[in-house]
PDB file of all heavy atoms in Angstrom:
ATOM      1  N   LEU A  59      -4.134   4.165  27.012  1.00  0.00           N
ATOM      2  CA  LEU A  59      -5.465   4.017  26.416  1.00  0.00           C
ATOM      3  C   LEU A  59      -5.531   4.723  25.064  1.00  0.00           C
ATOM      4  O   LEU A  59      -6.181   4.266  24.128  1.00  0.00           O
ATOM      5  CB  LEU A  59      -6.533   4.560  27.353  1.00  0.00           C
ATOM      6  CG  LEU A  59      -6.792   3.740  28.617  1.00  0.00           C
ATOM      7  CD1 LEU A  59      -7.792   4.446  29.502  1.00  0.00           C
ATOM      8  CD2 LEU A  59      -7.247   2.325  28.297  1.00  0.00           C
ATOM      9  N   TRP A  69     -14.043   3.661  15.947  1.00  0.00           N
ATOM     10  CA  TRP A  69     -14.725   4.584  16.875  1.00  0.00           C
ATOM     11  C   TRP A  69     -15.508   3.815  17.932  1.00  0.00           C
ATOM     12  O   TRP A  69     -15.844   4.388  18.976  1.00  0.00           O
ATOM     13  CB  TRP A  69     -15.667   5.499  16.102  1.00  0.00           C
ATOM     14  CG  TRP A  69     -14.910   6.528  15.295  1.00  0.00           C
ATOM     15  CD1 TRP A  69     -14.715   6.491  13.941  1.00  0.00           C
ATOM     16  CD2 TRP A  69     -14.260   7.667  15.767  1.00  0.00           C
ATOM     17  NE1 TRP A  69     -13.962   7.569  13.549  1.00  0.00           N
ATOM     18  CE2 TRP A  69     -13.669   8.337  14.654  1.00  0.00           C
ATOM     19  CE3 TRP A  69     -14.095   8.254  17.031  1.00  0.00           C
ATOM     20  CZ2 TRP A  69     -12.954   9.507  14.768  1.00  0.00           C
ATOM     21  CZ3 TRP A  69     -13.394   9.425  17.127  1.00  0.00           C
ATOM     22  CH2 TRP A  69     -12.827  10.036  16.014  1.00  0.00           C
ATOM     23  N   ALA A  70     -15.826   2.561  17.699  1.00  0.00           N
ATOM     24  CA  ALA A  70     -16.611   1.804  18.674  1.00  0.00           C
ATOM     25  C   ALA A  70     -15.849   1.548  19.974  1.00  0.00           C
ATOM     26  O   ALA A  70     -16.465   1.355  21.031  1.00  0.00           O
ATOM     27  CB  ALA A  70     -17.048   0.462  18.067  1.00  0.00           C
ATOM     28  N   VAL A  71     -14.537   1.549  19.926  1.00  0.00           N
ATOM     29  CA  VAL A  71     -13.733   1.297  21.130  1.00  0.00           C
ATOM     30  C   VAL A  71     -13.587   2.556  21.990  1.00  0.00           C
ATOM     31  O   VAL A  71     -13.269   2.466  23.174  1.00  0.00           O
ATOM     32  CB  VAL A  71     -12.347   0.685  20.733  1.00  0.00           C
ATOM     33  CG1 VAL A  71     -11.419   1.735  20.223  1.00  0.00           C
ATOM     34  CG2 VAL A  71     -11.738  -0.038  21.915  1.00  0.00           C
ATOM     35  N   LEU A  72     -13.829   3.712  21.415  1.00  0.00           N
ATOM     36  CA  LEU A  72     -13.636   4.984  22.139  1.00  0.00           C
ATOM     37  C   LEU A  72     -14.473   5.100  23.405  1.00  0.00           C
ATOM     38  O   LEU A  72     -13.943   5.500  24.447  1.00  0.00           O
ATOM     39  CB  LEU A  72     -13.875   6.162  21.197  1.00  0.00           C
ATOM     40  CG  LEU A  72     -13.598   7.527  21.765  1.00  0.00           C
ATOM     41  CD1 LEU A  72     -12.120   7.675  22.063  1.00  0.00           C
ATOM     42  CD2 LEU A  72     -14.059   8.608  20.812  1.00  0.00           C
ATOM     43  N   PRO A  73     -15.757   4.774  23.417  1.00  0.00           N
ATOM     44  CA  PRO A  73     -16.525   4.887  24.676  1.00  0.00           C
ATOM     45  C   PRO A  73     -15.980   4.008  25.793  1.00  0.00           C
ATOM     46  O   PRO A  73     -15.962   4.391  26.953  1.00  0.00           O
ATOM     47  CB  PRO A  73     -17.939   4.463  24.296  1.00  0.00           C
ATOM     48  CG  PRO A  73     -18.022   4.683  22.826  1.00  0.00           C
ATOM     49  CD  PRO A  73     -16.630   4.457  22.278  1.00  0.00           C
ATOM     50  N   VAL A  74     -15.534   2.821  25.438  1.00  0.00           N
ATOM     51  CA  VAL A  74     -14.983   1.922  26.457  1.00  0.00           C
ATOM     52  C   VAL A  74     -13.696   2.503  27.066  1.00  0.00           C
ATOM     53  O   VAL A  74     -13.511   2.488  28.287  1.00  0.00           O
ATOM     54  CB  VAL A  74     -14.710   0.526  25.846  1.00  0.00           C
ATOM     55  CG1 VAL A  74     -14.031  -0.378  26.863  1.00  0.00           C
ATOM     56  CG2 VAL A  74     -15.991  -0.090  25.351  1.00  0.00           C
ATOM     57  N   LEU A  75     -12.860   3.045  26.211  1.00  0.00           N
ATOM     58  CA  LEU A  75     -11.605   3.646  26.695  1.00  0.00           C
ATOM     59  C   LEU A  75     -11.886   4.874  27.538  1.00  0.00           C
ATOM     60  O   LEU A  75     -11.232   5.118  28.553  1.00  0.00           O
ATOM     61  CB  LEU A  75     -10.701   3.992  25.502  1.00  0.00           C
ATOM     62  CG  LEU A  75     -10.246   2.804  24.661  1.00  0.00           C
ATOM     63  CD1 LEU A  75      -9.433   3.299  23.467  1.00  0.00           C
ATOM     64  CD2 LEU A  75      -9.466   1.820  25.497  1.00  0.00           C
ATOM     65  N   LEU A  76     -12.877   5.689  27.112  1.00  0.00           N
ATOM     66  CA  LEU A  76     -13.237   6.872  27.904  1.00  0.00           C
ATOM     67  C   LEU A  76     -13.809   6.501  29.261  1.00  0.00           C
ATOM     68  O   LEU A  76     -13.486   7.134  30.273  1.00  0.00           O
ATOM     69  CB  LEU A  76     -14.229   7.743  27.123  1.00  0.00           C
ATOM     70  CG  LEU A  76     -13.648   8.625  26.047  1.00  0.00           C
ATOM     71  CD1 LEU A  76     -14.765   9.313  25.302  1.00  0.00           C
ATOM     72  CD2 LEU A  76     -12.675   9.615  26.621  1.00  0.00           C
ATOM     73  N   VAL A  77     -14.612   5.469  29.300  1.00  0.00           N
ATOM     74  CA  VAL A  77     -15.186   5.021  30.604  1.00  0.00           C
ATOM     75  C   VAL A  77     -14.062   4.552  31.516  1.00  0.00           C
ATOM     76  O   VAL A  77     -14.058   4.859  32.716  1.00  0.00           O
ATOM     77  CB  VAL A  77     -16.243   3.913  30.374  1.00  0.00           C
ATOM     78  CG1 VAL A  77     -16.593   3.211  31.678  1.00  0.00           C
ATOM     79  CG2 VAL A  77     -17.506   4.518  29.752  1.00  0.00           C
ATOM     80  N   ALA A  78     -13.110   3.819  30.958  1.00  0.00           N
ATOM     81  CA  ALA A  78     -11.987   3.349  31.809  1.00  0.00           C
ATOM     82  C   ALA A  78     -11.185   4.514  32.362  1.00  0.00           C
ATOM     83  O   ALA A  78     -10.824   4.541  33.526  1.00  0.00           O
ATOM     84  CB  ALA A  78     -11.080   2.414  30.969  1.00  0.00           C
ATOM     85  N   TRP A  79     -10.932   5.507  31.529  1.00  0.00           N
ATOM     86  CA  TRP A  79     -10.146   6.649  31.986  1.00  0.00           C
ATOM     87  C   TRP A  79     -10.918   7.527  32.955  1.00  0.00           C
ATOM     88  O   TRP A  79     -10.391   7.980  33.978  1.00  0.00           O
ATOM     89  CB  TRP A  79      -9.666   7.486  30.787  1.00  0.00           C
ATOM     90  CG  TRP A  79      -8.671   8.500  31.198  1.00  0.00           C
ATOM     91  CD1 TRP A  79      -7.480   8.270  31.827  1.00  0.00           C
ATOM     92  CD2 TRP A  79      -8.787   9.915  31.047  1.00  0.00           C
ATOM     93  NE1 TRP A  79      -6.835   9.464  32.053  1.00  0.00           N
ATOM     94  CE2 TRP A  79      -7.613  10.489  31.583  1.00  0.00           C
ATOM     95  CE3 TRP A  79      -9.736  10.715  30.518  1.00  0.00           C
ATOM     96  CZ2 TRP A  79      -7.398  11.855  31.600  1.00  0.00           C
ATOM     97  CZ3 TRP A  79      -9.505  12.101  30.481  1.00  0.00           C
ATOM     98  CH2 TRP A  79      -8.348  12.636  31.045  1.00  0.00           C
TER      99      TRP A  79
END
Side-chain angles (χ1 to χ4, degrees):
L59 291 176
W69 289 103
V71 77
L72 186 65
V74 175
L75 298 176
L76 281 175
V77 167
W79 190 58

